[in-house]
Amino acid sequence: MSNLSFDTEKYFKLVLGLGNCSLDNIEQLCNVYAQAGADIFDLSPNIKSLKAAQLGVKKAGLNPYDFKYCVSFGVKGDSHIKKAQINTKKCKRCYKCVSKCPQNAIVMGENGYPKVLTEKCIGCRRCEKSCIDFHDYEVNIKDTAKDFKGEKLDIVELHISSLNKKDIFKKWETILDNFDCQKSICIDRSKYGTEKLIKLVREMTKLNSEPTIIQADGVPMSGMESLPCTLQAIAHAQIYKDLNMPIFISGGTNSFTRELADKFEISYNGITIGSYARAIVKDAITCGDIKLAVEIAKRLVDNVKN
Ligand code: SF4
Ligand code: SF4
């Protein structure tokens, strides 16, 4: 059952999931963005992340039950669920991959070989070389639903960045059967032409008795204040203009997104921001200046909501 209102409200959703953040990061960022007026925290599908988010809100002196929490799953091939793995048969121990990783996810392992900390890897492929393999790191949806029973969970989202319809519908149906909250789908536009995209959205939303949020993804994990990145998300959202569904804009989103959405007359219900939102408060948080971090975050949140 949905407890989101799509009539007047515009939501600010902060992405902290799918390996993008450590538990400490989640706690700090939820502390800052809860004070800044964010509404929804998008987390990895595990209880530890939810508890860290709620602790961050509590430490900000706010009630964790006043905020919404979303968890996301990915279908096979989704870049968000890809994880790097060192191929020790090919590794020459040059350690170049260590400095390339933005997440500090590659550390020294046994016998001088590097190893990847799976929970920190976001599958960005900046370390990509023949000595590094990538594999899908899938989370069991039914087990996660059992773990979250009785917890505050408001949205469950499926990320789609493959053409594997069998896998897409199997996971979508499992989500619909096992979670009693708002559902959302986020499709990688680069995989689908417009007609196929609309057909897929229609087929999936038909199976859900409640309105499904459609999250129009641009360039995920870009983290930049860049017009082209956010333009892709706007162009994607425009495709759904006549479908009369709740729309969130994501991927390459930043402080330009609102202005562009208004310019192209995209009526949206929320903007989802990850890399950019985290990047702009990073220095202030690192220096321990939470007041400044909240001020910076508030400018972004206000830009989306007001
Ligand atoms: S995995 Fe490749 S890049 Fe990393 S240390 Fe080994 S040889 Fe170097
Ligand atoms: S894909 Fe490679 S560079 Fe990217 S986070 Fe994972 S280990 Fe680091």
Side-chain angles (χ1 to χ4, degrees):
M1 195 73 74
S2 172
N3 60 358
L4 282 89
S5 158
F6 299 118
D7 296 335
T8 49
E9 282 217 55
K10 284 199 182 338
Y11 293 100
F12 182 99
K13 182 160 89 152
L14 178 68
V15 182
L16 303 155
L18 295 162
N20 286 344
C21 285
S22 68
L23 294 177
D24 284 347
N25 281 159
I26 292 174
E27 190 189 311
Q28 287 166 335
L29 286 160
C30 286
N31 180 325
V32 167
Y33 273 91
Q35 293 182 67
D39 308 285
I40 308 168
F41 298 116
D42 188 334
L43 305 160
S44 293
N46 62 64
I47 290 290
K48 279 186 189 167
S49 295
L50 177 70
K51 295 294 172 194
Q54 292 177 334
L55 184 61
V57 174
K58 221 171 168 178
K59 282 190 175 172
L62 297 164
N63 183 353
Y65 281 83
D66 289 341
F67 294 83
K68 303 193 190 307
Y69 305 90
C70 168
V71 297
S72 306
F73 298 96
V75 298
K76 282 190 178 78
D78 189 308
S79 57
H80 293 90
I81 64 163
K82 286 275 179 210
K83 302 282 181 181
Q85 191 171 36
I86 307 296
N87 184 333
T88 48
K89 285 190 184 132
K90 293 183 180 170
C91 175
K92 295 184 177 63
R93 291 180 275 190
C94 72
Y95 309 120
K96 284 183 186 158
C97 54
V98 177
S99 56
K100 286 202 172 148
C101 179
Q103 292 291 108
N104 298 323
I106 308 180
V107 297
M108 194 57 78
E110 281 175 14
N111 302 325
Y113 287 103
K115 72 168 182 180
V116 177
L117 300 174
T118 303
E119 67 282 6
K120 287 184 121 188
C121 173
I122 56 170
C124 68
R125 290 182 177 262
R126 284 187 205 163
C127 59
E128 186 153 17
K129 269 178 139 235
S130 60
C131 43
I132 298 183
D133 299 329
F134 287 87
H135 60 99
D136 285 341
Y137 180 75
E138 289 195 69
V139 178
N140 186 297
I141 297 171
K142 280 188 189 172
D143 288 348
T144 308
K146 278 184 204 149
D147 293 345
F148 274 83
K149 214 168 173 70
E151 299 290 346
K152 176 153 174 42
L153 183 62
D154 302 278
I155 307 171
V156 175
E157 185 166 281
L158 184 62
H159 279 247
I160 299 164
S161 66
S162 85
L163 300 167
N164 186 340
K165 268 189 137 182
K166 199 173 158 200
D167 188 44
I168 293 168
F169 278 90
K170 192 173 158 211
K171 290 201 168 118
W172 182 236
E173 282 167 22
T174 310
I175 286 173
L176 294 176
D177 289 347
N178 288 276
F179 288 96
D180 179 24
C181 60
Q182 178 75 49
K183 314 295 183 311
S184 171
I185 50 180
C186 177
I187 306 175
D188 179 350
R189 169 81 174 99
S190 66
K191 296 280 186 296
Y192 289 86
T194 304
E195 264 177 45
K196 267 194 179 170
L197 187 71
I198 292 176
K199 189 168 177 263
L200 180 68
V201 165
R202 286 217 161 104
E203 283 172 4
M204 289 180 76
T205 53
K206 216 166 133 184
L207 298 175
N208 185 9
S209 54
E210 299 267 317
T212 305
I213 296 173
I214 309 297
Q215 186 159 282
D217 215 9
V219 185
M221 295 189 269
S222 57
M224 290 182 294
E225 184 73 322
S226 144
L227 269 175
C229 286
T230 208
L231 259 173
Q232 291 207 37
I234 300 293
H236 186 174
Q238 204 159 28
I239 293 172
Y240 307 119
K241 218 174 164 184
D242 302 323
L243 294 187
N244 196 25
M245 288 169 175
I247 302 291
F248 277 51
I249 303 172
S250 73
T253 34
N254 46 48
S255 62
F256 293 134
T257 308
R258 162 77 189 264
E259 198 186 322
L260 282 172
D262 289 349
K263 206 171 197 150
F264 288 95
E265 294 176 1
I266 306 293
S267 115
Y268 64 92
N269 302 89
I271 293 185
T272 299
I273 309 189
S275 313
Y276 178 74
R278 296 193 301 270
I280 58 171
V281 295
K282 193 175 168 209
D283 289 348
I285 289 179
T286 307
C287 297
D289 194 340
I290 299 301
K291 203 173 156 214
L292 176 63
V294 173
E295 267 174 40
I296 297 168
K298 197 169 181 321
R299 280 199 288 273
L300 180 65
V301 175
D302 287 349
N303 173 290
V304 166
K305 295 180 69 172
N306 301 316

